[in-house]
Amino acid sequence: MVKVKTAVLIVTYNNDKLASDSFKTLAATAMPGSDCSLTVCNNGPRPTDIVASPWYDQLATKFHPVTLINHLENRPLSEIYNTFLTDNSAERYIIFDDDSCIPDDFFTTLDRDYSSDPVIDLQLPLIYSLQDNSLNYPKINDVAVRKEGPVSTDQHIVSIGSGLVIYRSLLAAFDDRGIQPFDTRFALYGVDFSFFRRLALLKSYGVVLHIKTSSYLLHGLSAATGQIEAWREKERMYDHILSARYYSDNALIGNLKMIRYIIKYLLRGHTNLAWLSLLTWFRGHHPRSNVDISA
């Protein structure tokens, strides 16, 4: 199989011992001669050391180098992802959060599919829920893709951020048009979907994309738990309002969506979320994102 230089990122939060499913299962994966580096981004709130991970020794035998970055300020995921893609020289980039279960043959499958057809820009694993083993992503026109293989780019496709396999060719297409892959106006929710919205923007410019589904992940999908904490509902509000502003079909629809969200929050007695919705609409970005809203 073709040897592909690969850069892997794991983003973790509130995980001082670096002992989550992603570290455990990544340490157990088969690495068929791939040239892989690993960057671990600890996004706070306390500093840690890479050797704190009980799987550090196993990871260090498979990834060269293994690098830890401490961001104690809970930096926006969009900024972390874009910086990772810019600062690492590789042919292939893979992003994981810290609650994914990665199968042993994950890299073998990616390499096999790449070897059979190296004209590829993006690989997406099938995403199964850790809670009930249901298949959730990727979705084409809101229907979960059920098999591996080429994906038609004529349709609307989305997936989650964990497991994204991005090739240098796709980054070059973004760079040629002055577009960052992830929208830095988003910080947590909406960051992954902004990537796919920007894929659609590339297609509108006439860029031909080559996308495949390859391998799978088990993931602790937050939506599958049915439990919405107050902080999570606020973060989803930021996503809804910013998505309405920037990714609606037109300004009228965007404004109507924003008004609908505000009314919904008021009817539920969440006046704080209604006020924050209006503030977020006019501010134009997540409060942790220090960006020019024209970006």
Side-chain angles (χ1 to χ4, degrees):
M1 289 187 290
V2 177
K3 187 175 182 179
V4 184
K5 186 175 183 181
T6 303
V8 177
L9 172 70
I10 296 180
V11 180
T12 184
Y13 179 79
N14 199 24
N15 183 11
D16 297 355
K17 299 301 182 182
L18 304 181
S20 64
D21 287 336
S22 293
F23 292 98
K24 179 181 179 180
T25 55
L26 186 63
T29 54
M31 303 293 289
S34 294
D35 179 8
C36 290
S37 64
L38 174 62
T39 300
V40 177
C41 178
N42 169 37
N43 212 19
R46 296 169 296 276
T48 188
D49 192 295
I50 189 64
V51 296
S53 173
W55 297 285
Y56 170 73
D57 290 339
Q58 291 171 267
L59 291 169
T61 63
K62 298 180 179 184
F63 297 90
H64 309 280
V66 177
T67 305
L68 173 70
I69 301 172
N70 281 298
H71 290 314
L72 306 187
E73 70 277 23
N74 194 9
R75 188 168 295 189
L77 291 180
S78 52
E79 181 181 335
I80 292 172
Y81 294 166
N82 285 335
T83 300
F84 166 71
L85 297 173
T86 300
D87 288 355
N88 290 273
S89 177
E91 177 62 27
R92 178 171 65 192
Y93 300 82
I94 305 176
I95 295 171
F96 296 114
D97 58 22
D98 69 354
D99 60 350
S100 298
C101 287
I102 305 159
D104 176 72
D105 63 351
F106 184 80
F107 290 91
T108 305
T109 302
L110 297 185
D111 288 347
R112 179 202 66 201
D113 290 350
Y114 180 83
S115 297
S116 65
D117 183 8
V119 182
I120 190 166
D121 301 306
L122 179 69
Q123 287 171 303
L124 303 171
L126 304 181
I127 306 296
Y128 292 88
S129 168
L130 274 170
Q131 285 77 19
D132 58 13
N133 208 40
S134 61
L135 178 61
N136 287 265
Y137 292 99
K139 290 182 179 179
I140 294 179
N141 298 334
D142 292 327
V143 178
V145 177
R146 309 199 68 85
K147 63 180 181 179
E148 298 179 40
V151 173
S152 171
T153 57
D154 293 332
Q155 304 175 82
H156 177 63
I157 183 168
V158 296
S159 192
I160 63 172
S162 193
L164 286 178
V165 183
I166 303 170
Y167 284 81
R168 169 61 60 183
S169 56
L170 180 55
L171 297 184
F174 279 119
D175 189 56
D176 288 346
R177 288 152 187 85
I179 304 171
Q180 290 184 302
F182 296 91
D183 191 335
T184 54
R185 295 169 297 205
F186 293 75
L188 182 60
Y189 290 116
V191 170
D192 44 10
F193 283 10
S194 79
F195 173 80
F196 291 94
R197 288 159 172 160
R198 293 189 166 196
L199 285 185
L201 184 59
L202 287 182
K203 290 190 291 183
S204 73
Y205 290 148
V207 177
V208 178
L209 300 174
H210 301 88
I211 303 174
K212 285 184 177 180
T213 51
S214 298
S215 193
Y216 69 94
L217 292 180
L218 291 171
H219 189 275
L221 296 162
S222 60
T225 65
Q227 301 173 355
I228 304 178
E229 303 93 333
W231 71 266
R232 196 183 298 277
E233 187 165 19
K234 183 166 72 171
E235 290 293 339
R236 287 179 175 173
M237 177 276 298
Y238 291 132
D239 173 26
H240 293 155
I241 295 300
L242 293 172
S243 294
R245 172 166 177 172
Y246 294 113
Y247 294 106
S248 295
D249 290 338
N250 56 58
L252 176 60
I253 292 176
N255 278 275
L256 290 174
K257 286 181 179 179
M258 181 265 291
I259 293 171
R260 184 185 67 183
Y261 283 123
I262 290 176
I263 292 173
K264 181 187 74 171
Y265 292 134
L266 289 173
L267 291 175
R268 292 168 57 186
H270 295 168
T271 55
N272 61 322
L273 290 181
W275 167 249
L276 281 174
S277 296
L278 192 61
L279 181 62
T280 301
W281 178 269
F282 286 106
R283 179 170 48 204
H285 60 83
H286 191 285
R288 293 207 314 273
S289 299
N290 297 313
V291 298
D292 182 340
I293 64 171
S294 63

